[in-house]
Every structure is written in structure tokens, then in C-alpha cells.
Amino acid sequence: MTGSISKPRKSDSAYERLRSAIIRAELEPGSLIEERDMMERLDIGRTPLREALQRLAHEDLVMAVPQRGYFVSATSAADFFQLSEFRDHSEVLAIRSAAVRITNQQLERLKSLIDEAREGVAARIMDQDWHLAIDERLHKLVAEASGNRYLAQALNRLYALSVRSLYVARVPVTLLFEELENFSAIYEALAAHDADRAEQAMRNHLDIPTVQAVQIPARKGTHKAAANAGKKSVDMP
């Protein structure tokens, strides 16, 4: 008798779809999430929707306001800098830990992911969501390989908030056409269990101009300021 594949819980599906919409700024910062409209849009009931919203609230992507409902969390240029600074340090800690603790199975998964990325680049996939998904899977795998579940949870939250800042500021997300060399360097350093090489490879991948970010005032025109402080902007080749 063959085993059946369990269907994802409705709250999990709602969480993923809402998270994606918030990260990509399809739901704008500060906007109210209308429960009835969202239930129809996601084709779910109130209970799974609220479970999804509670998870998103724990990740600071939405904010619960008593008697009013859930709102998409606001963001600013100052948030962008602080997120980038915190995420940089956290990603470095994760990859240095992963260099020591990564398993052969995790290395195989990382290699398969990079092979998938190479095939997609060779096929000239231009879907930005595909590029972003590959990048997020790489960071999740490195975080998992760190062996620290609290660090992995924090990085999942930081990744979502950081990418949302780019979308809100309309900064083009870096595409894999420019990242395969960095991905390979990350894999090779982890396979060699070389923490110093792994750290440098991750820093090269993140490549955030922190000095520019420090100089940006947190006042009017924050979207434009965040764009100037953003991760390297790469146009489609």
C-alpha cells in the first residue's frame, strides 16, 4: 500500500502567500489587511487566516492593533540600514558555524541547488520570483547547516524584512546571472570546512554598501534614500 502525501495546512498556505505578497510589496506598508477580502482572495476561513497572520506578526511583517485588526508593518530608510547591519553579522555567524557543522547530506542539497540555479541561468529564466526563491533557499540551507535553530529562525525573519525593504524602495533585486560565482565559492568553502573562506564568500554575496547607508538621513523621501542604500542594483542582461 503506497503512502499518501499529506496536503499542506490551509494556514500554512495562507502564511506563504501572504508572506510573499508582503515581501514583494504587493501589500503596501501600513495598509490594513481586510479579513473578509483576504479570506475570499485566499479561499480560506477566518481561523487559518488568523493563524497565518499571527505567524507573520511574530516575524514583524504585520502588526496587530487591538480593535482595528492587522496592518502590514511600516518600514523606513533607518530600518533598512539596521536590518542590513544585523543581517550581515548574523549571516557571517551562520556560515562560519556551517563551515564546521555542515553534513554531507546538506552539502549534497547545496550542490543540487546550485546546479538548479545554473540550469535556470543557462535557460535564461527571467522570472524575478524564481531568482529570489533560489537565493532564499541557499540562505535557509546555510542557516540550517549552522546547527543553531534560533539563528536559523532569526535569519528567516531578517531575510524577509530585508528583501521587503528592497521591493518597497523599488531597488532591483540581485539576479542569479551575477551570483553563480559567489554561490560556487560558498559551496567550495563549506565543502572544505574553511570558515574564513566561507565568511568572505558570504560577504561577497551580500555586498551591501554600508558606508552609503550610514550617510542617509532618516527623514522625508525614505523610499528614495533606501534605494540609494540598497544592495547592488543589477539590471536584467
Side-chain angles (χ1 to χ4, degrees):
M1 181 177 178
T2 58
S4 59
I5 299 176
S6 59
K7 293 182 179 179
R9 297 169 61 231
K10 288 187 176 182
S11 61
D12 292 338
S13 298
Y15 163 79
E16 292 294 344
R17 291 179 64 182
L18 278 170
R19 181 176 182 271
S20 176
I22 293 170
I23 288 175
R24 289 161 178 75
E26 293 167 11
L27 295 176
E28 296 183 359
S31 62
L32 172 66
I33 298 176
E34 296 280 0
E35 281 195 355
R36 188 173 299 279
D37 291 344
M38 198 57 64
M39 287 162 57
E40 292 179 3
R41 176 175 169 179
L42 301 177
D43 190 26
I44 58 172
R46 179 171 280 105
T47 297
L49 175 61
R50 288 187 175 176
E51 288 176 0
L53 289 170
Q54 287 168 8
R55 288 178 64 183
L56 293 166
H58 287 143
E59 296 178 12
D60 294 330
L61 288 172
V62 303
M63 178 176 60
V65 179
Q67 309 302 320
R68 295 188 62 193
Y70 287 90
F71 291 78
V72 178
S73 298
T75 188
S76 68
D79 292 333
F80 182 90
F81 167 63
Q82 292 173 17
L83 282 167
S84 297
E85 185 178 50
F86 185 27
R87 185 181 168 210
D88 271 5
H89 289 297
S90 301
E91 292 282 6
V92 166
L93 174 59
I95 201 163
R96 290 191 69 90
S97 299
V100 176
R101 299 169 179 166
I102 195 166
T103 66
N104 290 335
Q105 183 183 42
Q106 288 167 335
L107 279 170
E108 281 299 316
R109 286 166 54 200
L110 181 56
K111 183 178 183 300
S112 295
L113 177 62
I114 294 173
D115 288 342
E116 181 181 342
R118 288 189 184 283
E119 290 173 4
V121 167
R124 307 293 292 178
I125 293 178
M126 306 303 281
D127 179 9
Q128 187 167 288
D129 288 349
W130 177 84
H131 289 262
L132 184 61
I134 292 285
D135 183 68
E136 183 170 14
R137 285 166 60 194
L138 178 133
H139 284 281
K140 282 187 174 181
L141 213 165
V142 170
E144 176 193 321
S146 74
N148 186 321
R149 67 186 179 93
Y150 297 103
L151 179 58
Q153 290 170 359
L155 280 170
N156 181 60
R157 170 176 167 269
L158 288 171
Y159 187 94
L161 291 169
S162 297
V163 173
R164 184 182 71 135
S165 294
L166 296 178
Y167 273 91
V168 169
R170 290 176 170 77
V171 176
V173 176
T174 301
L175 303 178
L176 300 187
F177 299 105
E178 299 291 326
E179 291 293 343
L180 286 180
E181 184 177 342
N182 289 330
F183 281 15
S184 294
I186 287 172
Y187 170 78
E188 290 166 7
L190 291 177
H193 299 285
D194 187 327
D196 291 338
R197 278 174 56 196
E199 175 180 340
Q200 188 57 58
M202 180 59 77
R203 288 189 184 278
N204 291 342
H205 171 51
L206 294 173
D207 192 24
I208 298 175
T210 319
V211 175
Q212 290 183 25
V214 173
Q215 296 173 346
I216 292 171
R219 55 173 185 265
K220 291 182 179 180
T222 53
H223 289 355
K224 182 178 180 180
N228 292 333
K231 188 177 178 180
K232 57 185 177 182
S233 172
V234 178
D235 294 328
M236 294 270 192

